[in-house]
Amino acid sequence: MSDGALTVLDGTHLRAVDLSLPDSDVILIGGHVLDLADSKASSSLFGLSLPQGLKSSALKRVNVQDDDVFRQAELDRHQALKLAGDYIAAIADELKDDPLVISILDGNTIRLFLEDEDDFAMLAENLFTDLDAEDVGKINKSVIRSALVHMGVEMGVPPVSANGEEELGQAQFAELLQPILQELAEALAKKNVVLIQNIKIVNGSKLRKLLADEKQLNNVVEKILQGKKDDLGSAEVIRSYLEKNGLELGLPPSEGDEAVAILYDLVFAELKEDKIALKEGEDKFGNLVKKILEKLAEQLEANPVFHDTEN
């Protein structure tokens, strides 16, 4: 696994998890079984510590409403096996609907920089220049931490710390940085660091749930109709609404994203060729909305859109 490379967790890794429990005929406690299942799932997901929200959503899928009470419940072996299996399957289903994007840092990228003297020299020079904001040719030793943060996950560096008040020149900075990076690369090789990225994958899952809920779909149609103007055709009104409010429906944000603009262009271009679908009339408006959402869901399932949640 390469440092900084993005890995998508969509539940696939959990479909073949070994659900064996310790050989014992004694009564098992619900909390112990859940912790064991969490551990199995984490091991299959590159050692990722499962987010609490993911675990809570999975428990709701298996009808566990009160986590604290359930953790005290006694289970026989058959019940425990079923719970563990259902719970891990629920985590997999949650990830299928709402995948996580992670980076696995194993030291490889850092080692590549260290093995090439020219690359390392350039890296150290660029970092020093960026950190020497006042262009005095000296930086405080304490900014080593800032240097590592500046390198970031893209260069295979997890959050770290460094202290000191000594003033450093560029050569001293490079000399101090090198062993720190070497030690960091060795530590990462022994124990990878897995980080969840602030990236959302929109794959049409939420949109399909909306389409399956007639009441919720009708509410969306009503909201779109409220903004309908006589000088605009139905397709234009629908597109305008979806571009402004699509995120809450399960669509990717459209602002400044060329991939999303292409997605809308593709779907609405197909509709222009469908003369029946574009006929005016409120009796057909709801069906038109549904048809557009179905086409968007199909496109997103085939070509999911990634977007940075920090922007």
Side-chain angles (χ1 to χ4, degrees):
M1 187 65 60
S2 178
D3 277 337
L6 299 180
T7 298
V8 176
L9 302 182
D10 60 3
T12 305
H13 301 85
L14 297 177
R15 298 301 180 184
V17 171
D18 176 17
L19 297 176
S20 60
L21 294 174
D23 292 331
S24 174
D25 292 328
V26 300
I27 295 297
L28 298 168
I29 303 301
H32 175 70
V33 176
L34 290 178
D35 290 343
L36 181 61
D38 282 338
S39 178
K40 297 269 190 184
S42 176
S43 295
S44 296
L45 298 176
F46 308 99
L48 174 71
S49 180
L50 302 182
Q52 187 57 48
L54 173 60
K55 294 191 286 186
S56 297
S57 296
L59 285 174
K60 289 179 181 178
R61 282 183 180 255
V62 294
N63 297 317
V64 174
Q65 302 301 325
D66 193 327
D67 184 22
D68 293 332
V69 172
F70 184 79
R71 282 183 169 275
Q72 304 302 317
E74 295 184 344
L75 306 170
D76 61 31
R77 186 174 179 79
H78 174 74
Q79 291 172 320
L81 278 170
K82 186 177 188 308
L83 168 65
D86 290 349
Y87 177 57
I88 290 179
I91 293 175
D93 289 341
E94 280 292 319
L95 289 172
K96 181 180 179 181
D97 287 348
D98 191 9
L100 292 177
V101 179
I102 63 171
S103 288
I104 304 170
L105 310 184
D106 60 8
N108 281 338
T109 300
I110 297 175
R111 280 192 293 275
L112 289 174
F113 278 105
L114 293 172
E115 289 169 359
D116 189 306
E117 291 184 8
D118 292 337
D119 283 349
F120 177 73
M122 182 64 71
L123 169 66
E125 181 181 345
N126 290 339
L127 287 173
F128 186 90
T129 301
D130 290 341
L131 295 170
D132 183 17
E134 298 180 4
D135 196 23
V136 296
K138 293 282 185 180
I139 59 175
N140 195 286
K141 185 178 180 180
S142 62
V143 302
I144 286 288
R145 180 180 185 277
S146 298
L148 298 176
V149 170
H150 200 78
M151 289 178 68
V153 174
E154 293 79 6
M155 293 187 184
V157 178
V160 292
S161 62
N163 299 308
E165 299 300 326
E166 181 183 348
E167 292 291 319
L168 303 172
Q170 183 175 315
Q172 293 170 305
F173 170 74
E175 186 177 346
L176 182 61
L177 180 64
Q178 188 170 28
I180 291 175
L181 291 179
Q182 287 174 337
E183 185 177 344
L184 184 56
E186 291 170 4
L188 288 170
K190 293 176 182 177
K191 183 175 176 58
N192 298 170
V193 171
V194 182
L195 301 175
I196 297 176
Q197 297 295 311
N198 293 314
I199 296 174
K200 182 81 171 176
I201 299 178
V202 183
N203 59 9
S205 175
K206 185 174 180 180
L207 203 54
R208 288 191 293 275
K209 289 182 179 179
L210 168 65
L211 288 163
D213 187 328
E214 186 175 351
K215 182 178 179 181
Q216 190 179 359
L217 180 60
N218 287 338
N219 287 338
V220 171
V221 173
E222 287 298 320
K223 288 180 181 178
I224 298 175
L225 273 172
Q226 289 172 9
K228 192 175 188 304
K229 298 178 181 179
D230 293 337
D231 59 338
L232 290 177
S234 295
E236 289 84 353
V237 171
I238 295 169
R239 175 164 183 167
S240 177
Y241 180 88
L242 295 181
E243 288 179 335
K244 292 178 182 176
N245 305 281
L247 195 57
E248 64 188 61
L249 305 179
L251 289 163
S254 58
E255 271 187 42
D257 194 319
E258 185 178 353
V260 179
I262 292 173
L263 168 68
Y264 279 109
D265 287 344
L266 179 63
V267 167
F268 281 88
E270 288 181 7
L271 286 171
K272 283 183 179 179
E273 297 175 4
D274 188 341
K275 305 301 182 184
I276 298 176
L278 288 174
K279 282 184 177 178
E280 298 294 335
E282 292 191 3
D283 58 323
K284 298 190 180 202
F285 190 82
N287 287 332
L288 179 58
V289 172
K290 183 177 181 181
K291 185 166 186 176
I292 290 171
L293 293 179
E294 286 173 343
K295 286 183 175 293
L296 286 167
E298 289 172 7
Q299 289 294 329
L300 288 169
E301 183 176 16
N303 301 289
V305 173
F306 290 56
H307 74 90
D308 190 337
T309 57
E310 288 189 333
N311 295 330

